[in-house]
Amino acid sequence: MPNQSQNTKERTISRIKEPGKYNVVFHNDDFTPMDFVTLILKHIFFKNEIEAETLMLRVHNEGKAIVGSYTYDIAMTKAADATNIARKNGFPLRITVNKA
């Protein structure tokens, strides 16, 4: 007679953890035009006109603002894309990514 423990399959319970979120932060500077910041927020971060203008003014008035929270890869890609476009246009827009 076969051993009972040989016939029973062990079950493992996997807990899938959601990936962590990372904030993309725009920092104010005296050189990047407000219209350019608004444009980046609309085209890279898919903000509508009102959201983009509100965030741009928060960056301008408060010195910085979180413009979005994403998984690590997406946050880094959006920050890099926005930084590259700013540099190509001659602007020093500073963007950082930090854990939410």
Side-chain angles (χ1 to χ4, degrees), residues 76-95:
M76 293 303 288
T77 299
K78 286 183 177 288
D81 289 348
T83 299
N84 289 337
I85 292 169
R87 296 304 176 274
K88 285 180 183 176
N89 285 276
F91 301 123
L93 179 62
R94 186 165 77 101
I95 303 168

Side-chain angles (χ1 to χ4, degrees), residues 32-52:
T32 307
M34 292 183 199
D35 289 345
F36 183 80
V37 172
T38 302
L39 185 73
I40 292 291
L41 289 168
K42 288 173 19 182
H43 290 283
I44 302 291
F45 294 88
F46 303 112
K47 304 298 182 185
N48 65 40
E49 186 75 28
I50 294 170
E51 289 175 311

Side-chain angles (χ1 to χ4, degrees), residues 18-37:
E18 285 199 32
K21 294 287 187 174
Y22 289 79
N23 294 330
V24 179
V25 181
F26 278 27
H27 299 266
N28 190 41
D29 63 65
D30 293 331
F31 305 102
T32 307
M34 292 183 199
D35 289 345
F36 183 80
V37 172

